[in-house]
Amino acid sequence: MLVSHSRIIDIVGDIIRIAVSSSAPGSEGRPCLGDLALVDAGNGTTSLAQVINIDREMVSLQVNSGTKGLANNASVRFLGEPAKVTYSGNILGRVFDGAGHPIDRGPDLSSDPSVPIGGPSANPMKRVLASRMIRTDVPMIDIFNCLVESQKIPIFSVSGEPYNPFLARIGIQADADIVVFGGLGLIFDDYAFFRKQFEDAGVFPRTVMFINQASDPVVERLQVPDMALAVAEKFAVEEGKRVLVLLTDMTAFADALKEVSIAMERVPANRGYPGDLYSQLARRYEKACDFKGAGSVTILTVTTMPGNDVTHPVPDNTGYITEGQFYLHSGVIDPFGSLSRLKQHVIGKVTREDHNQIMNTMIRFYSGARDAEQKQSMAFELSAYDRQLLKFGNLFRERFMDIEVSKPLEEALDLCWQTLAECFEPDQLLMKQELIDKYLPDIASPVKTADGEMA
């Protein structure tokens, strides 16, 4: 029989503090960190809560549905178990809220098995060195910053950028077995957009969605990543699936952490965020893993940067945890701000032999194109080579940087060679001659007009 506790000390925000006597009868009377509790408001309404802090006899709980209308004479019963999420093959093609309840009017899943959320990351001895590529058909990723299985990587962006459509495209085009999507603080239009995109593309049957909308309790926002990652880990370990986890937006998650920290009167750190922000983010990101003898979990998130400030605590801490980032601004993936630290594990090993040289050559010429554009904007005299670079820069942005471009890797590599051939002579490429002989198309060389322009 569960013991009821009614000594509520205070209520701050969505957090209640209750005194629990150490002499409470039965082991079920003493809660553990992370345990669930049932809060009875006394008027016939109940709500789930989770233990987030224990200080001797003082226990702090987050109330999922909020504390509005909750009186001091409410009672709390600890359930003696952590939060769980439904896990079975039946959750594919389903949509759940931040508490793990189906919100798509589909069949009831209460009889399906469930698994605890928020567990530890994988044993390092069970991890395999990243060595397999996840193809996305996005040239700026596949060519220049490959997404590798078991990688954890964010999309750094700012409000107003098309990061949601971009994230949806990757979820649709990535060659993963299962996509687990976690929406954090989404407005309804964004939630409807993601669902429609997945349904229209025909990938919804292999997708699981956990959605916390902006109007939902902020407490549930903290549970969405844990539920998504718990399910992803089970699919990877139990069924050997290659799972891609998409989370948006981790800055909203961090803001929820800040709100809870302030309500608990913890000493704030940088810009009011909790001092354990790094650990809280790392707990989620470190779930990415390629399991020995099983599948893998790859994590791709969005991290918005307030004021485009990369030194903001959320992107700053994230950069120390993850293996690079995709930098999205002005509607394109910036090749200079983006980085994948694991790409060397797959480039030229599981991809075509010319991949590494093409990647370096294209970036080298685009860097030169940026310099030539600066010279042009300052009215300096341009050389014939500068005009070659300007032509290349325009083609590079049009053919590769636009996030709407979708091409398989091999086709994109061929287009790189085509672009080089249209802009430069073979001896200007400074590449291995055997690769030039094998891959450079035989087209007419760039011709100079009378005024020095490139034809």
Side-chain angles (χ1 to χ4, degrees):
M1 180 178 178
L2 298 177
V3 178
S4 293
H5 304 270
S6 56
R7 293 175 57 196
I8 294 181
I9 305 303
D10 57 25
I11 302 174
V12 181
D14 293 333
I15 296 173
I16 62 175
R17 288 197 305 158
I18 186 170
V20 178
S21 173
S22 58
S23 60
S27 60
E28 71 277 4
R30 292 294 300 174
C32 296
L33 198 64
D35 276 2
L36 290 179
L38 197 63
V39 180
D40 188 346
N43 57 2
T45 62
T46 59
S47 175
L48 280 177
Q50 187 174 24
V51 177
I52 58 174
N53 189 53
I54 300 176
D55 185 5
R56 298 182 182 179
E57 295 189 353
M58 200 67 62
V59 179
S60 299
L61 302 101
Q62 287 182 136
V63 183
N64 286 17
S65 60
T67 58
K68 186 176 182 179
L70 192 66
N72 282 345
N73 61 356
S75 62
V76 176
R77 288 178 291 168
F78 297 103
L79 303 182
E81 61 179 20
K84 294 183 177 181
V85 62
T86 302
Y87 165 72
S88 72
N90 295 327
I91 68 173
L92 292 174
R94 300 297 302 273
V95 184
F96 302 85
D97 63 13
H101 303 136
I103 57 174
D104 56 1
R105 300 181 181 178
D108 179 57
L109 298 176
S110 58
S111 60
D112 286 28
S114 58
V115 295
I117 69 172
S121 57
N123 184 341
M125 294 298 294
K126 296 295 183 181
R127 293 174 179 259
V128 177
L129 184 66
S131 61
R132 293 177 292 183
M133 177 181 173
I134 294 183
R135 293 171 177 251
T136 65
D137 290 350
V138 177
M140 291 306 296
I141 295 179
D142 289 357
I143 296 178
F144 303 101
N145 285 291
C146 300
L147 181 61
V148 182
E149 278 190 41
S150 80
Q151 190 167 17
K152 45 191 179 291
I153 192 164
I155 300 169
F156 281 178
S157 188
V158 296
S159 297
E161 291 290 338
Y163 49 78
N164 282 338
F166 183 59
L167 196 67
R169 278 192 58 222
I170 293 177
I172 291 168
Q173 297 177 180
D175 63 338
D177 297 326
I178 292 174
V179 174
V180 181
F181 177 82
L184 304 169
L186 293 179
I187 63 174
F188 180 80
D189 287 351
D190 286 338
Y191 155 56
F193 167 80
F194 277 109
R195 181 168 180 175
K196 186 175 187 302
Q197 290 291 305
F198 292 146
E199 288 176 340
D200 291 349
V203 301
F204 199 64
R206 64 177 177 91
T207 302
V208 187
M209 299 183 73
F210 294 93
I211 303 296
N212 168 257
Q213 297 185 51
S215 57
D216 291 339
V218 70
V219 172
E220 295 181 359
R221 198 165 302 163
L222 301 177
Q223 296 183 166
V224 166
D226 291 336
M227 289 191 294
L229 291 166
V231 165
E233 189 173 61
K234 277 293 182 179
F235 275 121
V237 174
E238 303 291 340
E239 302 184 30
K241 301 295 186 181
R242 301 163 65 239
V243 186
L244 176 63
V245 179
L246 307 176
L247 298 174
T248 177
D249 157 17
M250 289 303 285
T251 302
F253 171 81
D255 289 342
L257 285 174
K258 179 166 69 171
E259 187 172 327
V260 171
S261 179
I262 291 172
M264 293 184 65
E265 300 180 352
R266 291 175 174 167
V267 178
N270 192 7
R271 303 199 197 184
Y273 286 93
D276 65 343
L277 176 62
Y278 178 92
S279 299
Q280 292 285 358
L281 293 172
R283 274 184 58 195
R284 279 79 189 180
Y285 280 114
E286 291 300 335
K287 289 278 190 175
C289 179
D290 194 348
F291 297 94
K292 185 184 298 184
S296 63
V297 175
T298 307
I299 301 175
L300 178 63
T301 72
V302 170
T303 297
T304 52
M305 302 181 293
N308 201 24
D309 181 11
V310 75
T311 66
H312 184 275
V314 180
D316 187 37
N317 280 278
T318 299
Y320 286 103
I321 301 166
T322 57
E323 292 128 354
Q325 69 281 326
F326 301 134
Y327 185 33
L328 174 64
H329 73 95
S330 302
V332 300
I333 298 294
D334 190 333
F336 300 124
S338 301
L339 170 66
S340 172
R341 294 189 178 95
L342 299 185
K343 63 184 177 183
Q344 302 303 331
H345 291 279
V346 297
I347 289 180
K349 298 179 175 65
V350 298
T351 62
R352 219 165 67 180
E353 59 179 340
D354 59 324
H355 190 167
N356 190 56
Q357 288 250 316
I358 273 288
M359 175 186 68
N360 292 330
T361 301
M362 296 291 283
I363 293 299
R364 170 164 53 86
F365 281 131
Y366 183 64
S367 177
R370 291 274 293 268
D371 292 341
E373 288 167 1
Q374 276 194 321
K375 290 172 65 177
Q376 186 180 46
S377 66
M378 298 173 67
F380 282 99
E381 184 178 354
L382 299 179
S383 65
Y385 182 64
D386 288 331
R387 298 187 185 281
Q388 288 177 273
L389 290 171
L390 290 174
K391 179 182 178 181
F392 174 84
N394 292 330
L395 291 176
F396 185 84
R397 279 187 286 268
E398 174 189 336
R399 295 176 176 179
F400 302 99
M401 289 181 64
D402 188 341
I403 61 173
E404 295 297 323
V405 174
S406 176
K407 291 182 183 298
L409 175 59
E410 287 73 22
E411 186 178 329
L413 289 173
D414 289 339
L415 185 59
C416 287
W417 284 105
Q418 175 74 22
T419 305
L420 291 174
E422 291 176 13
C423 300
F424 302 102
E425 299 285 353
D427 58 358
Q428 292 178 303
L429 301 182
L430 303 180
M431 299 172 69
K432 291 182 178 178
Q433 189 61 45
E434 57 265 31
L435 294 179
I436 294 177
D437 294 340
K438 185 174 181 179
Y439 294 105
L440 189 68
D442 186 14
I443 65 174
S445 300
V447 179
K448 301 173 190 174
T449 61
D451 58 358
E453 297 282 351
M454 302 305 298

